[in-house]
PDB file of all heavy atoms in Angstrom:
ATOM      1  N   PRO A 322     -14.585   2.947   4.297  1.00  0.00           N
ATOM      2  CA  PRO A 322     -14.576   2.594   5.728  1.00  0.00           C
ATOM      3  C   PRO A 322     -13.615   1.415   5.933  1.00  0.00           C
ATOM      4  O   PRO A 322     -13.070   0.881   4.971  1.00  0.00           O
ATOM      5  CB  PRO A 322     -16.014   2.214   5.995  1.00  0.00           C
ATOM      6  CG  PRO A 322     -16.529   1.678   4.706  1.00  0.00           C
ATOM      7  CD  PRO A 322     -15.788   2.454   3.628  1.00  0.00           C
ATOM      8  N   ASP A 323     -13.435   1.026   7.198  1.00  0.00           N
ATOM      9  CA  ASP A 323     -12.633  -0.141   7.478  1.00  0.00           C
ATOM     10  C   ASP A 323     -13.345  -1.414   7.076  1.00  0.00           C
ATOM     11  O   ASP A 323     -14.524  -1.594   7.487  1.00  0.00           O
ATOM     12  CB  ASP A 323     -12.356  -0.213   8.993  1.00  0.00           C
ATOM     13  CG  ASP A 323     -11.064   0.556   9.337  1.00  0.00           C
ATOM     14  OD1 ASP A 323     -10.210   0.712   8.421  1.00  0.00           O
ATOM     15  OD2 ASP A 323     -10.919   0.931  10.492  1.00  0.00           O
ATOM     16  N   PHE A 324     -12.711  -2.287   6.368  1.00  0.00           N
ATOM     17  CA  PHE A 324     -13.294  -3.597   6.071  1.00  0.00           C
ATOM     18  C   PHE A 324     -12.445  -4.682   6.751  1.00  0.00           C
ATOM     19  O   PHE A 324     -11.223  -4.638   6.671  1.00  0.00           O
ATOM     20  CB  PHE A 324     -13.290  -3.857   4.559  1.00  0.00           C
ATOM     21  CG  PHE A 324     -14.187  -2.939   3.778  1.00  0.00           C
ATOM     22  CD1 PHE A 324     -13.636  -1.884   3.034  1.00  0.00           C
ATOM     23  CD2 PHE A 324     -15.579  -3.104   3.822  1.00  0.00           C
ATOM     24  CE1 PHE A 324     -14.499  -1.022   2.334  1.00  0.00           C
ATOM     25  CE2 PHE A 324     -16.409  -2.248   3.130  1.00  0.00           C
ATOM     26  CZ  PHE A 324     -15.873  -1.186   2.355  1.00  0.00           C
ATOM     27  N   ALA A 325     -13.131  -5.608   7.409  1.00  0.00           N
ATOM     28  CA  ALA A 325     -12.404  -6.719   8.027  1.00  0.00           C
ATOM     29  C   ALA A 325     -11.863  -7.600   6.942  1.00  0.00           C
ATOM     30  O   ALA A 325     -12.552  -7.960   5.964  1.00  0.00           O
ATOM     31  CB  ALA A 325     -13.324  -7.489   8.944  1.00  0.00           C
ATOM     32  N   VAL A 326     -10.613  -8.024   7.053  1.00  0.00           N
ATOM     33  CA  VAL A 326      -9.967  -8.837   6.048  1.00  0.00           C
ATOM     34  C   VAL A 326      -9.767 -10.249   6.648  1.00  0.00           C
ATOM     35  O   VAL A 326      -9.920 -11.261   5.973  1.00  0.00           O
ATOM     36  CB  VAL A 326      -8.630  -8.229   5.620  1.00  0.00           C
ATOM     37  CG1 VAL A 326      -8.016  -9.099   4.522  1.00  0.00           C
ATOM     38  CG2 VAL A 326      -8.791  -6.811   5.176  1.00  0.00           C
ATOM     39  N   ASP A 327      -9.376 -10.250   7.885  1.00  0.00           N
ATOM     40  CA  ASP A 327      -9.004 -11.461   8.555  1.00  0.00           C
ATOM     41  C   ASP A 327      -9.251 -11.253  10.039  1.00  0.00           C
ATOM     42  O   ASP A 327      -9.473 -10.110  10.453  1.00  0.00           O
ATOM     43  CB  ASP A 327      -7.471 -11.742   8.259  1.00  0.00           C
ATOM     44  CG  ASP A 327      -7.082 -13.156   8.617  1.00  0.00           C
ATOM     45  OD1 ASP A 327      -7.931 -13.901   9.126  1.00  0.00           O
ATOM     46  OD2 ASP A 327      -5.921 -13.499   8.406  1.00  0.00           O
ATOM     47  N   GLN A 328      -9.056 -12.267  10.807  1.00  0.00           N
ATOM     48  CA  GLN A 328      -9.168 -12.125  12.254  1.00  0.00           C
ATOM     49  C   GLN A 328      -8.199 -11.019  12.750  1.00  0.00           C
ATOM     50  O   GLN A 328      -6.971 -11.159  12.597  1.00  0.00           O
ATOM     51  CB  GLN A 328      -8.796 -13.431  12.956  1.00  0.00           C
ATOM     52  CG  GLN A 328      -8.892 -13.461  14.435  1.00  0.00           C
ATOM     53  CD  GLN A 328     -10.314 -13.497  14.902  1.00  0.00           C
ATOM     54  OE1 GLN A 328     -11.179 -14.113  14.266  1.00  0.00           O
ATOM     55  NE2 GLN A 328     -10.637 -12.849  16.013  1.00  0.00           N
ATOM     56  N   GLY A 329      -8.714  -9.910  13.252  1.00  0.00           N
ATOM     57  CA  GLY A 329      -7.865  -8.848  13.743  1.00  0.00           C
ATOM     58  C   GLY A 329      -7.205  -7.966  12.704  1.00  0.00           C
ATOM     59  O   GLY A 329      -6.469  -7.067  13.048  1.00  0.00           O
ATOM     60  N   GLN A 330      -7.468  -8.215  11.449  1.00  0.00           N
ATOM     61  CA  GLN A 330      -6.848  -7.405  10.397  1.00  0.00           C
ATOM     62  C   GLN A 330      -7.939  -6.644   9.645  1.00  0.00           C
ATOM     63  O   GLN A 330      -8.930  -7.248   9.228  1.00  0.00           O
ATOM     64  CB  GLN A 330      -6.072  -8.277   9.392  1.00  0.00           C
ATOM     65  CG  GLN A 330      -5.310  -7.444   8.348  1.00  0.00           C
ATOM     66  CD  GLN A 330      -4.638  -8.313   7.298  1.00  0.00           C
ATOM     67  OE1 GLN A 330      -4.917  -9.533   7.219  1.00  0.00           O
ATOM     68  NE2 GLN A 330      -3.773  -7.746   6.517  1.00  0.00           N
ATOM     69  N   HIS A 331      -7.754  -5.327   9.496  1.00  0.00           N
ATOM     70  CA  HIS A 331      -8.712  -4.617   8.682  1.00  0.00           C
ATOM     71  C   HIS A 331      -8.025  -3.523   7.862  1.00  0.00           C
ATOM     72  O   HIS A 331      -6.983  -3.026   8.228  1.00  0.00           O
ATOM     73  CB  HIS A 331      -9.868  -4.034   9.505  1.00  0.00           C
ATOM     74  CG  HIS A 331      -9.414  -3.283  10.699  1.00  0.00           C
ATOM     75  ND1 HIS A 331      -9.073  -1.944  10.691  1.00  0.00           N
ATOM     76  CD2 HIS A 331      -9.207  -3.673  11.989  1.00  0.00           C
ATOM     77  CE1 HIS A 331      -8.683  -1.553  11.902  1.00  0.00           C
ATOM     78  NE2 HIS A 331      -8.740  -2.575  12.717  1.00  0.00           N
ATOM     79  N   ALA A 332      -8.646  -3.155   6.763  1.00  0.00           N
ATOM     80  CA  ALA A 332      -8.054  -2.188   5.833  1.00  0.00           C
ATOM     81  C   ALA A 332      -9.143  -1.262   5.326  1.00  0.00           C
ATOM     82  O   ALA A 332     -10.270  -1.695   5.039  1.00  0.00           O
ATOM     83  CB  ALA A 332      -7.367  -2.919   4.660  1.00  0.00           C
ATOM     84  N   ALA A 333      -8.781   0.025   5.180  1.00  0.00           N
ATOM     85  CA  ALA A 333      -9.717   1.006   4.651  1.00  0.00           C
ATOM     86  C   ALA A 333      -9.510   1.134   3.150  1.00  0.00           C
ATOM     87  O   ALA A 333      -8.780   2.010   2.718  1.00  0.00           O
ATOM     88  CB  ALA A 333      -9.551   2.342   5.368  1.00  0.00           C
ATOM     89  N   CYS A 334     -10.043   0.187   2.418  1.00  0.00           N
ATOM     90  CA  CYS A 334      -9.826   0.201   0.967  1.00  0.00           C
ATOM     91  C   CYS A 334     -11.047  -0.452   0.285  1.00  0.00           C
ATOM     92  O   CYS A 334     -11.548  -1.501   0.726  1.00  0.00           O
ATOM     93  CB  CYS A 334      -8.599  -0.625   0.639  1.00  0.00           C
ATOM     94  SG  CYS A 334      -8.307  -0.775  -1.147  1.00  0.00           S
TER      95      CYS A 334
END
Side-chain angles (χ1 to χ4, degrees):
Chain A
D323 270 338
F324 294 105
V326 183
D327 193 358
Q328 182 74 35
Q330 184 186 14
H331 50 86
C334 176

